[in-house]
Each structure stands twice: as structure tokens, then as C-alpha cells.
Amino acid sequence: MHRVFAVARPGFLTLTLVCIALALAFSLQQGSLISLWDAILVVVIGLAAHVSVNAFNEYFDFKSGLDFKTRPTPFSGGSGTLVVAPHLASAALLIAVTALLLVSAGGLYLVWQHGAALLLIGLPGVLIIYAYTQYLNRSPLACLLAPGIGFGLLMTLGAIWVFSATLSAGAWTLATMMTLLVSNLLLLNQFPDIEADASVGRRHLPIVAGRRISARVFAVFHWLAVALLPLAVGFGWLPVWSLLGLCSLVLLVPLTRGVLRYALHIPEHVRLLGLNVAFVHLYPLLITVGLLVDR
């Protein structure tokens, strides 16, 4: 029975911790006094949200038959848990629903503590968690932006709101960076499964526009996320030490060059998927370190 917890994809939950660490570091750098209880609750809600969307994805992909058509990689294609243990499907759905209820309960508590305006973040978040696999994947634009919005404009920005009770230009900049980064994380992971995804009715960008155009969008998103950093520092929205994030260019240059060069053959270049995961983690983590140094 313990096997069912693999549908939460625990190895991928580090992304949530990166988002919240970035929000925490920025809030501390801005001089906010952060409640330990609020910090713990935000982490729990963030992890529960991530677990829920992963488990819903596993369940719905199993029910649609998609999991039987994809070739899983260490970074895409799902955990394969329900393919080898289909009797666990109901338990996977239970995990997804339970985690979503935990998100809702924790979110309502934060609304009670910090004001009803937080519903502007909470309600869209709950909608994305449930609708991503079933509905948003049928729209190229929604499928492209929903993951980034969930982790950037909702999770990262929402955490800063709870920690700081205000949203500055720096907060919006960091949230926009994470939106671009996470959208790209999911975008590249769609490249190996175009044929399988199309067979079950999905219409994400690589299916509709093709791999070459999607690779260009990928490169633009990542370089825009990087360009925002010196721009924000120049305007005084972020401290100079946050430029430490630019050290991640050592990963970005070969990553974007490789994706543009091998756009039609990404399934044979799985290392690019791993390099993308590494960059999406390293860039905000280095900014986090810079923010903490500047305190």
C-alpha cells in the first residue's frame, strides 16, 4: 500500500521548497518579522498543493490511458505507479482530494488571519490544481502558463504576502521569474510525449505549434527570467547581492543552446531535461542566498 505514495512524486516537491525559500528570504531582506507558525503553515499548504496536483495528474492520466502510451524519463511521463498497480487508483485519488482539502483548510485559516484578499490567490490556486490535467491541458496558452502561475504568481507571491503583508515591485519581479521558470519546466517535459498526449486530446504548445517554435518560446522565457534580475536591481527593487543568481548562466547557456539545436530530438537528449530541472532550481536558490547575505 505504501507504493501509492509515489503518485505524489516526492522527488519533485523540492520546487515548492525553492519557491517558499525565495519568498522567505525576500521578506526577511525587506525587514519583515515572520511568524514561525505562518512559515510552517505556508510550507505545509505549498507541499499539499504540489502533492495534490501530482496525484490528480497520475490518476487522470491513468484513467485516460495516457500512462500506458508514454515512455517515462526520470523527469517526465509520471511515476508509472498506477500502470503496475492499477488497484491503487482509488487510493491515488484519495491522496489528491485529501491534499486539496488540506490546502483549502489551511488557506481559509490564512484568510481568517490575514484578510479576505488572500482569496484572490487561494481560489485560482485550487482551480488550477484540479483543472490542470483534465481541462487546462486542452488549451495551449493555459497549459503553458498555468504551472508557472501556480508556483509563481500564486505560491511565491502568496507566501510573500503572508510573510510581509505587502507586495512590492521586487515581490512581483520574483513571482514573474518563477512563473517563467516553472512554465518552462513543464514545457520542455512535454517534448518527449507529443504523440501520446495528442492521442488523448491534449493540445499543449508542442502539439499545436511544433517542437521548433516551442523551443524558441522556451529560450525566450528562460532568458527573460534572467533579464528581469539586473533590471530589478537597476531599479532598486532587489539588492545587488541578488545578482548572485547570474552564476546560473553556466547552466542556462548550454541548456538553451541544446534545446534549440536538438528540438526535434529531445527524447534522445534526456540530459537536457535534467539540466532544465537543475537550472530552474539553481537560479532562484542563488538569488535566495544573495537576499540572505544582504540582510
Side-chain angles (χ1 to χ4, degrees):
M1 184 65 180
H2 67 278
R3 182 190 304 174
V4 71
F5 292 105
V7 301
R9 302 173 190 165
F12 297 156
L13 299 182
T14 52
L15 182 61
T16 290
L17 300 179
V18 168
C19 291
I20 296 174
L22 181 63
L24 185 63
F26 176 75
S27 300
L28 289 172
Q29 192 274 333
Q30 295 289 297
S32 301
L33 297 176
I34 300 171
S35 159
L36 178 61
W37 169 245
D38 278 351
I40 293 172
L41 187 56
V42 167
V43 170
V44 170
I45 292 172
L47 289 174
H50 201 167
V51 166
S52 184
V53 75
N54 284 349
F56 272 127
N57 182 256
E58 293 268 339
Y59 175 78
F60 288 129
D61 282 355
F62 167 73
K63 297 298 286 185
S64 70
L66 178 61
D67 277 351
F68 296 93
K69 301 177 180 181
T70 56
R71 293 182 298 169
T73 75
F75 314 101
S76 66
S79 70
T81 301
L82 301 184
V83 173
V84 299
H87 62 284
L88 296 177
S90 295
L93 180 60
L94 180 61
I95 289 174
V97 172
T98 301
L100 186 57
L101 290 174
L102 180 58
V103 171
S104 301
L108 288 173
Y109 175 81
L110 289 177
V111 167
W112 177 55
Q113 289 289 306
H114 298 277
L118 273 176
L119 288 171
L120 296 174
I121 285 177
L123 291 178
V126 170
L127 180 63
I128 288 175
I129 289 171
Y130 178 75
Y132 177 71
T133 302
Q134 280 285 80
Y135 305 106
L136 300 182
N137 273 325
R138 300 180 186 279
S139 164
L141 185 60
C143 186
L144 174 65
L145 296 180
I149 290 172
F151 283 90
L153 293 179
L154 300 183
M155 185 182 293
T156 304
L157 198 66
I160 294 174
W161 195 343
V162 171
F163 295 150
S164 302
T166 185
L167 296 178
S168 64
W172 283 98
T173 301
L174 293 175
T176 303
M177 287 179 185
M178 292 309 304
T179 297
L180 294 167
L181 293 174
V182 179
S183 288
N184 257 2
L185 183 63
L186 275 293
L187 174 59
L188 192 62
N189 285 352
Q190 291 162 354
F191 277 49
D193 300 324
I194 287 180
E195 292 77 15
D197 287 348
S199 72
V200 297
R202 289 189 176 178
R203 296 186 67 252
H204 52 60
L205 189 65
I207 290 174
V208 174
R211 287 185 174 98
R212 288 197 185 279
I213 291 177
S214 298
R216 294 180 188 130
V217 171
F218 175 87
V220 168
F221 271 29
H222 267 345
W223 282 105
L224 181 57
V226 169
L228 285 173
L229 182 56
L231 182 67
V233 171
F235 278 105
W237 300 339
L238 293 174
V240 174
W241 270 103
S242 60
L243 291 173
L244 189 63
L246 296 180
C247 292
S248 62
L249 291 179
V250 69
L251 299 183
L252 181 58
V253 172
L255 170 61
T256 51
R257 182 184 297 157
V259 169
L260 289 171
R261 181 177 181 181
Y262 299 112
L264 300 181
H265 307 285
I266 294 296
E268 287 77 46
H269 295 273
V270 177
R271 64 177 181 82
L272 291 173
L273 301 183
L275 195 59
N276 192 34
V277 172
F279 172 71
V280 169
H281 281 68
L282 182 62
Y283 180 47
L285 280 175
L286 289 175
I287 296 174
T288 298
V289 172
L291 291 168
L292 293 174
V293 170
D294 192 75
R295 283 186 63 197

